[in-house]
Amino acid sequence: MANDIRSLCVYCGSSDGYVAAHADAARDLGRHLVENNIRLVYGGAAVGLMGIVADAVLARGGSVTGVITEHFDAAGITHSGLTKCVITPDMHSRKAEMMQHSDAFVALPGGIGTLEEVAEALTWAHIGHHRKPVGFLNVDGFYNPLINMLDQMVASGFYRQEQRDALVVAKTPKELISKLQSAVWPDVTKWVR
Ligand code: AMP
């Protein structure tokens, strides 16, 4: 096992989504986190898939760190059961806090906010700012279009094959955690020659 993952940052929809399998996957991931003694780090809200994954962890006695902005906190969507709540002045410091508290990052199905967060985690690995694993829980192929886009970047000489290969893609939470534990970023510069 290359990585001892004690805390996992989960990026996911602040909406429930229309597909029951996506909510089921959020619940299932929460259960696996507790079974593997991994703390959940996430955006701190009680809404959408975010609330579902947090509820699943808390219901089983697991530990949850929520990192939320003053703006969202004032809107009254902060989860009331968080083990630890960090309130930040803005989105930039929120993402930095989430990164700092986490040993790895994953995206579940979600919208543009989820995409932005996981893209930042990937970009920062890409430029060597961190070496923590990044993965996608690819429920029912939800992330296939994005993975195809990354392959297109590789084929066009804008993204390294080695980095694409080090990115974790898994269909189930069990597979996801196992792959994150063994994932290693390559020692390559970001520029494709
Ligand atoms: P989205 O996928 O657009 O629903 O955005 C969800 C992601 O962005 C989460 O991982 C959060 O960290 C952040 N985010 C966006 N909107 C919200 C919200 N209303 N409440 C809390 N976090 C949010």
Side-chain angles (χ1 to χ4, degrees):
M1 190 196 299
N3 308 303
D4 182 21
I5 296 172
R6 303 273 41 104
S7 57
L8 180 67
C9 183
V10 175
Y11 306 125
C12 61
S14 57
S15 303
D16 292 332
Y18 296 142
V19 180
H22 297 165
D24 291 344
R27 231 170 264 120
D28 201 24
L29 177 63
R31 182 168 64 81
H32 276 81
L33 292 184
V34 178
E35 282 173 4
N36 287 276
N37 206 18
I38 296 172
R39 178 163 41 94
L40 170 68
V41 177
Y42 85 119
V47 294
L49 298 193
M50 299 174 72
I52 291 174
V53 67
D55 285 344
V57 173
L58 292 166
R60 290 168 180 79
S63 175
V64 179
T65 297
V67 184
I68 195 155
T69 59
E70 289 168 3
H71 167 81
F72 282 137
D73 186 52
I77 60 165
T78 304
H79 197 296
S80 59
L82 299 173
T83 316
K84 182 176 179 188
C85 180
V86 180
I87 298 181
T88 66
D90 52 47
M91 288 299 273
H92 291 294
S93 46
R94 179 197 206 185
K95 287 186 291 173
E97 281 279 340
M98 287 164 85
M99 279 206 183
Q100 195 188 321
H101 283 88
S102 309
D103 297 324
F105 313 97
V106 297
L108 267 60
I112 199 74
T114 302
L115 184 62
E116 189 260 353
E117 291 171 323
V118 73
E120 182 171 290
L122 261 186
T123 305
W124 287 21
H126 178 62
I127 61 174
H129 198 75
H130 71 75
R131 295 184 62 83
K132 300 173 183 179
V134 182
F136 291 87
L137 187 56
N138 196 18
V139 187
D140 288 345
F142 180 83
Y143 278 110
N144 286 351
L146 179 62
I147 291 158
N148 289 340
M149 186 70 229
L150 296 175
D151 287 336
Q152 173 70 25
M153 291 175 192
V154 172
S156 305
F158 294 115
Y159 191 39
R160 282 189 175 273
Q161 183 72 57
E162 299 95 314
Q163 288 189 307
R164 158 67 186 91
D165 292 344
L167 171 65
V168 168
V169 181
K171 288 185 178 155
T172 65
K174 189 176 178 201
E175 182 193 2
L176 182 71
I177 292 169
S178 157
K179 284 185 168 177
L180 290 170
Q181 285 169 335
S182 58
V184 179
W185 288 110
D187 278 315
V188 290
T189 61
K190 80 180 276 295
W191 298 281
V192 181
R193 301 283 180 216

